[in-house]
Structures are given as C-alpha cells and as structure tokens.
Amino acid sequence: GRFGSHALVIMNHGQLRGFVGRQLARNDANVTTVITDYLNQAVSKITQMRDIMLLRREVDVAVVGGNPTLNIFTAVPNLQYLRRIGARDAQGTLFWLYHALTEEEGAIRAAAAVEGASATAVAFYLLGDDVKLFPTPVSDQTLAVEYQTGFPAMVNDADENVLMRQFPLLIAYRALADLVELFWSVQWAQLWEQRYAQELQRFLDYDAAFSITSTPHYVPGPKSTTWD
C-alpha cells in the first residue's frame, strides 16, 4: 500500500499497529492494546461485506453416512458467509444442492428428486450452526462447500492475513476513523472516513477485476441475521 508519496510496507499486525499509532502520535502500551482491538474490528467490518472475490474459498467436507447434520462452523473454520454446497452424483459430476428455507421444503425437494431414497443429498436447510441434509446420506460422501472467509483475531506482532498484505491501508483507515471519532473528534474522523472510502473503492475495483460470477447466489451463514 501507499501513504502520501511514501511507500508503505506492512507485512504483519505489529507493523500495521505501529503505522496507526504514528498517525495518532501515540505508541504507548495503553494505546497499542486499543489499536489492536480496533484493527480486529476493522477487519471484521470489511470481511462482512458480501461478494468479495478475494475472500472466497472452497473446501471439501466429509459427511458420515447416516448422519443428516453437519456443524458448518466446525467443518469450515473462519466461515463468514456460506455461499453454496455441492455434492457429486454417481458419475462424479458436481451439482449444487438446493437451499431449502424450511425443513419441510427440504424433505419435499428430496422426495420429488429421488422418490424418497438416495445415497446423495439433494437439498440442505440451515438449522442453527448446523446444515441439515435431505435426504440423509446413506453412505459417507464429500461435499464441496463454497464460502466467504473471515480471519482469526490478530494478537501477536507476526500475525497477518491476505487482506492486510494486499490492502493494509483499508484496515488502517477504517480503524483510524473509528478510533478518532470515539477518542478525539468527529471532524478529524471525517478525514479518515474519506481516506477509507477512497481505499475501499480501490479495493472493490481490484476485487471486481477478479470476479468470476456476475450474479452470485448467496446463502447467509447460520449466524447471519440478514438475507440477500
């Protein structure tokens, strides 16, 4: 990233925290702990945005035959939003499971597709932290889970993530805007809000260049309270 006309090289949490501290002219121990909290809060806010290609991931998850439910947060660490779940048919072709809004709808979809008996799930329903599959897989199978990732909280100086490596100012400006508004002045915070808005647009433009879907279908994570 860049700050003014001077190159800014940030590779980890310690360096990012130091940069924010210099903008505040505060690097004493009491403030550095607060800065870390606000940096983590900034990362959380940014990763809660939808349709971020940079944060999109896909992972294979094993499902035990005879078990209709899967704890999605245990199976997929750092999951922010669940996008979709896929399974493979007898020929090995990947298809995406139908997202049922109720358990009854899931059962109806399963019955209509397979006449009440199949070794492969065709639909799923979000039940708390769990994904419930319809019908219950008869044997072990592997599901493809497409999701948007978050990141573990930064604690140690060496902690880092891909968002920090590629867009450190995005995180720094968001944290500075929140910090300054709370502890200093709203007027000064507006400066950082403007810089954050500029960096956010640069981030979104960069991300859009790598997007592979024009109209993605989202399924909110089980702990989300909003629907697309």
Side-chain angles (χ1 to χ4, degrees):
R2 300 186 65 84
F3 182 70
S5 60
H6 304 285
L8 173 67
V9 179
I10 290 178
M11 299 300 294
N12 58 44
H13 164 230
Q15 292 171 343
L16 186 61
R17 186 187 62 219
F19 169 78
V20 171
R22 288 192 296 276
Q23 308 317 306
L24 300 173
R26 294 285 300 273
N27 268 317
D28 50 280
N30 291 334
V31 173
T32 55
T33 299
V34 175
I35 292 175
T36 289
D37 292 340
Y38 275 80
L39 287 173
N40 282 317
Q41 179 178 293
V43 171
S44 178
K45 287 182 177 180
I46 295 165
T47 57
Q48 285 176 24
M49 294 187 294
R50 305 293 182 93
D51 196 20
I52 303 299
M53 188 66 189
L54 183 65
L55 305 179
R56 194 176 303 176
R57 304 286 186 272
E58 185 174 310
V59 64
D60 288 340
V61 174
V63 176
V64 178
N67 185 4
T69 61
L70 170 72
N71 186 297
I72 195 66
F73 285 95
T74 300
V76 185
N78 302 320
L79 182 146
Q80 188 71 266
Y81 293 110
L82 175 63
R83 288 178 54 85
R84 54 185 180 175
I85 298 176
R88 297 189 181 278
D89 59 21
Q91 289 72 42
T93 303
L94 179 68
F95 66 94
W96 298 108
L97 276 59
Y98 178 81
H99 172 219
L101 299 181
T102 65
E103 291 190 69
E104 291 75 13
E105 184 183 11
I108 292 170
R109 283 277 175 169
V114 298
E115 298 182 355
S118 175
T120 304
V122 297
F124 71 94
Y125 168 67
L126 297 177
L127 183 64
D129 289 354
D130 294 332
V131 168
K132 186 171 183 179
L133 301 172
F134 296 91
T136 299
V138 174
S139 57
D140 295 355
Q141 68 178 92
T142 300
L143 299 178
V145 177
E146 186 179 284
Y147 67 103
Q148 184 166 307
T149 188
F151 300 108
M154 296 177 288
V155 178
N156 301 312
D157 284 357
D159 291 346
E160 50 85 27
N161 57 59
V162 65
L163 187 64
M164 179 193 300
R165 291 196 303 271
Q166 295 190 239
F167 290 90
L169 291 180
L170 183 68
I171 303 171
Y173 291 164
R174 180 67 268 159
L176 280 162
D178 293 338
L179 269 166
V180 171
E181 182 176 6
L182 183 63
F183 294 107
W184 281 272
S185 72
V186 174
Q187 185 176 1
W188 189 24
Q190 290 175 348
L191 168 66
W192 296 112
E193 286 284 3
Q194 292 170 1
R195 290 180 175 175
Y196 171 72
Q198 293 170 351
E199 192 67 11
L200 177 61
Q201 189 58 57
R202 192 173 78 86
F203 168 67
L204 294 175
D205 289 345
Y206 170 88
D207 196 72
F210 290 89
S211 179
I212 59 173
T213 56
S214 57
T215 55
H217 170 64
Y218 280 107
V219 178
K223 293 184 178 178
S224 174
T225 56
T226 60
W227 293 85
D228 279 355

